[in-house]
Amino acid sequence: MRGLSAFPITPSDADGVVRVDALQRLLRPLVDARVHSIGLLGSTGSYPYLSRPERRRAIEAAADEVAGRVPLLVGVGALRTDEAIRLAQDARAGGAAAGLLAAVSYTPLTEDEVFEHYKAVAGESGLPLCIYDNPTTTHFRFSPELIARLAALPGVAAVKLPGGEPQALAAQMADLRARVPADFALGHSGDWFAVEAMLAGGEAWYSVVAGILPQVCMDIVAAVRAGNATEARRLNAALEPLWGLFREFSSLRVVYEIAERRGVCAAEPPLPVRRLPEAARQRVAAVLDGMDPALLR
């Protein structure tokens, strides 16, 4: 749960059946680029829309494709604690190295309820967990105090934080680092925030775009690790046209379009989510056509 974690889509048919061949085609470039982990069944992978059997199908297909070469971080979020436990057990049995657990809710949750949820899933599944703080979708925001409580639990090993304003990131990272064990990993999502988050001390980048364009993301991580902030920011700036599309249309819809435009797979997102309208699809095509081919490896 450090370095670059690449989050691919999960291609499925209209009935929600995972298309194994298409998923494996998406994973091959990630393995070839030597990403540090693959974030299977994350939000980009549409985990809330897939049944338990289809989640198992995706895990089995991914495990067969990566063959132990890249660790799998598997989304195990569910509304019910007992269901999340079963999903985490499935992930562990299927070969996942860790689970990504969001505080999925309908009735708003309290901090104590979320704490007990994580304690149960970690304790009963035996799968190391990464806290998934995704307030945009779950409507629950993890406080620093709650992250510290959870970090003290056996089996809770990392946190995936949402992006934030660059000027606030260093203070946020310093505050969290002072609260959690030294081996607890701090990472961020929100691709356009990632460079500044890593420069501020973030240890992981949980990336949507790395699920379809892994090499440029690996180049960014390498630049950060080498202390070359100028190069990391240059590459990030070159991707700004994509970030603009992500912000306007959602990264999920845009990545489905990129996957088709690049000939990796043609797939529809799970209903009721729909593909971009034609005018937006043409904008994605124009952005891709205008990008330096070196960024599209």
Side-chain angles (χ1 to χ4, degrees), residues 7-41:
F7 280 66
I9 61 174
T10 308
S12 61
D13 66 18
D15 296 319
V17 176
V18 172
R19 295 171 51 203
V20 168
D21 289 349
L23 176 59
Q24 291 178 331
R25 285 197 302 274
L26 282 160
L27 298 181
R28 285 168 200 154
L30 312 186
V31 175
D32 291 343
R34 299 184 179 183
V35 299
H36 301 108
S37 67
I38 291 172
L40 190 74
L41 299 176

Side-chain angles (χ1 to χ4, degrees), residues 219-240:
D219 292 344
I220 289 172
V221 172
V224 171
R225 288 182 165 182
N228 191 345
T230 299
E231 175 64 4
R233 287 173 172 141
R234 183 191 71 80
L235 290 169
N236 184 66
L239 293 172
E240 176 56 36

Side-chain angles (χ1 to χ4, degrees), residues 145-167:
E145 293 79 12
L146 179 56
I147 292 172
R149 288 177 66 195
L150 292 169
L153 289 173
V156 180
V159 63
K160 177 180 183 285
L161 298 160
E165 293 303 318
Q167 60 269 25

Side-chain angles (χ1 to χ4, degrees), residues 120-133:
V121 176
E124 296 190 38
S125 71
L127 183 70
L129 295 180
C130 177
I131 301 164
Y132 187 6
D133 188 2

Side-chain angles (χ1 to χ4, degrees), residues 40-41 47 55 59 74-80 83-92 96 98-102 104 117 121 127 129-130:
L40 190 74
L41 299 176
Y47 75 92
R55 293 199 203 190
I59 295 166
V74 174
V76 296
L79 278 169
R80 293 173 56 98
E83 182 66 9
I85 290 168
R86 287 190 288 269
L87 292 168
Q89 290 169 337
D90 289 348
R92 184 184 181 192
L100 181 64
L101 181 59
V104 181
H117 180 64
V121 176
L127 183 70
L129 295 180
C130 177

